Amino acid sequence: MQKIRGDFGVINRYREYLPVSEATPIISLSEGSTPLIHAPTLSEMVQGNIYLKYEGLNPTCSFKDRGMTVAISKAAEHSAKAVLCASTGNTSASAAAYAARAGMQCVVILPAGRIAGGKMVQAYLYGATVVAIKGNFDDALRIVQKLGERGDFVVVNSTNPYRLEGQKTAAFEIIEELGKAPDLHILPVGNAGNITAYWKGYREFYDVGRSYNLPIMLGVQASGAAPLYHGAPMDHPETLATAIRIGQPASWNGAVGAVKESLGEFDMVTDEEILAAQKWLASKEGVFAEPASVVPVALLLKIFQSEDHHLCRSKTIFSKLPLHPTIVLTITGHGLKDPETASHTLSEPLQAEATEEAVLNVIQGS
Ligand SMILES: *Cc1c(COP(=O)(O)O)cnc(C)c1O
């Protein structure tokens, strides 16, 4: 059968590495194949080649789509009628979109008042049933896992192994584009599924000889929600980067394994550093990402530009890298997901009468 342009999503691109068969109906929105954008200003700062894997350009504007196409396709294969997830926002947006595509009901359980506006709108428009609980993400995930045991819903959180299978394809794409794995991969860590998936992807391509090196994995958390950094779960995680506001990561063991096996590290940055990095990335590199997505950038700025560099546990990793290293940062979600948090940077526009002269005057006076 001839492939039409619209169905070149991650399943069709990497079918032989994914748990799908002829019997699996492919539910895809043409996710994946996101750009690996060279970042000249960061590269200069770090004296290496820095690339941004811009996952904000997926169909629902976060990397969650890579795993969701596999999870929902498998749910369809097993004739599921409804899917269920807990979410800090992006999982629900993605689940709702793919469930809509598959004609399934989607129920999402969210921490009340802690979901970015863009993500909330997505869940509603894609037609999900939205339940807000008086609790945090960890509470929501606990409830979802209990409800999942009843058997009438398929849980599509990253505890669903098909999610991580799909997400590992980002590592495949990076290897294909660079011709090798990077020396270092830095990404945000919340529930820790993505760092687990990337490491799996890098390992799989290494094992079949499609790359000859493995990267060091560096996972970055927000300082108010840094259980992996501290090595212990947290009861009251707090950060404005809502996508990583998680105290009890479900993929704890996978994340610790990735960091140990790759001789990597967990590190953390503060909310102030996150906000500064968000503005910096948009204004210096032209890439607008949501707060959780810029924690790797915040870490680089801290290590290479701040007096506080000695506070960074991962600093020593940089001194062990080869000269002019290749470093990839995953930019996990689009900035327009959460314009409210970035709105601190807004000021009133300059005011002018509707004439060329008046406009020129205010521009020159600014
Ligand atoms: C889900 C998400 C994360 C965290 O990924 P985990 O797999 O939970 O560690 C980070 N950033 C964004 C934008 C996300 O949506």
Side-chain angles (χ1 to χ4, degrees):
M1 196 179 80
Q2 200 191 338
K3 259 184 208 157
I4 52 165
R5 166 77 183 88
D7 80 345
F8 196 63
V10 302
I11 296 179
N12 277 327
R13 186 165 173 184
Y14 293 112
R15 162 178 282 288
E16 70 259 49
Y17 299 98
L18 294 170
V20 292
S21 70
E22 288 297 309
T24 317
I26 297 178
I27 312 297
S28 170
L29 291 163
S30 212
E31 60 294 315
S33 303
T34 54
L36 192 61
I37 305 173
H38 187 245
T41 313
L42 278 173
S43 296
E44 171 79 24
M45 187 177 89
V46 177
Q47 292 294 299
N49 269 315
I50 313 286
Y51 296 93
L52 309 172
K53 183 64 171 162
Y54 194 21
E55 292 289 282
L57 295 188
N58 274 297
T60 76
C61 305
S62 85
F63 74 83
K64 300 296 199 296
D65 296 338
R66 286 181 189 276
M68 208 54 78
T69 182
V70 183
I72 300 288
S73 296
K74 292 303 283 187
E77 181 181 335
H78 299 126
S79 310
K81 296 272 177 293
V83 296
L84 173 68
C85 67
S87 181
T88 59
N90 283 334
T91 296
S92 52
S94 186
Y98 284 81
R101 193 79 182 182
M104 290 174 196
Q105 188 198 3
C106 175
V107 180
V108 305
I109 317 275
L110 310 171
R114 305 309 294 245
I115 303 295
K119 304 177 188 180
M120 201 71 175
V121 171
Q122 284 180 296
Y124 278 111
L125 283 207
Y126 292 129
T129 304
V130 180
V131 182
I133 58 156
K134 297 189 187 97
N136 62 26
F137 171 82
D138 301 301
D139 299 319
L141 185 57
R142 185 172 36 78
I143 292 167
V144 159
Q145 275 163 343
K146 280 282 168 220
L147 290 178
E149 287 167 14
R150 293 166 48 97
D152 30 9
F153 296 102
V154 172
V155 175
V156 293
N157 278 102
S158 56
T159 46
N160 176 325
Y162 300 127
R163 285 273 311 279
L164 301 194
E165 290 297 317
Q167 285 173 211
K168 76 186 177 189
T169 59
F172 295 169
E173 290 175 12
I174 291 167
I175 289 171
E176 289 188 345
E177 197 151 342
L178 295 176
K180 59 171 190 178
D183 298 303
L184 174 64
H185 190 116
I186 317 178
L187 77 171
V189 174
N191 213 24
N194 214 28
I195 189 171
T196 305
Y198 268 93
W199 182 239
K200 188 169 198 297
Y202 281 127
R203 289 286 310 268
E204 278 183 25
F205 259 26
Y206 180 80
D207 289 343
V208 298
R210 299 217 31 196
S211 77
Y212 296 98
N213 64 317
L214 289 166
I216 293 171
M217 301 298 295
L218 173 46
V220 192
Q221 304 206 281
S223 54
L228 285 155
Y229 176 89
H230 293 297
M234 289 172 78
D235 281 337
H236 303 289
E238 201 47 77
T239 169
L240 57 77
T242 49
I244 51 171
R245 185 170 170 269
I246 293 172
Q248 297 166 35
S251 297
W252 183 284
N253 294 338
V256 169
V259 159
K260 278 209 173 119
E261 289 167 32
S262 73
L263 307 178
E265 192 57 275
F266 292 109
D267 215 328
M268 64 179 187
V269 291
T270 66
D271 278 6
E272 298 76 68
E273 289 161 346
I274 291 171
L275 287 179
Q278 188 184 29
K279 178 110 205 292
W280 189 95
L281 186 68
S283 60
K284 303 286 188 195
E285 301 283 15
V287 174
F288 182 26
E290 70 167 279
S293 302
V294 302
V295 294
V297 177
L299 182 72
L300 290 181
L301 292 174
K302 191 167 181 174
I303 291 177
F304 289 92
Q305 287 201 334
S306 136
E307 310 262 288
D308 290 338
H309 57 85
H310 59 277
L311 297 176
C312 297
R313 194 193 265 176
S314 59
K315 206 187 148 193
T316 52
I317 285 181
F318 290 86
S319 53
K320 288 187 215 142
L321 292 175
L323 207 63
H324 222 73
T326 299
I327 303 175
V328 173
L329 274 52
T330 307
I331 302 296
T332 47
H334 201 288
L336 291 174
K337 287 272 194 178
D338 184 9
E340 299 91 349
T341 304
S343 62
H344 68 100
T345 59
L346 299 183
S347 43
E348 281 296 304
L350 301 168
Q351 306 287 329
E353 296 299 324
T355 67
E356 282 163 49
E357 225 187 0
V359 171
L360 196 58
N361 274 336
V362 284
I363 297 171
Q364 287 170 340
S366 77

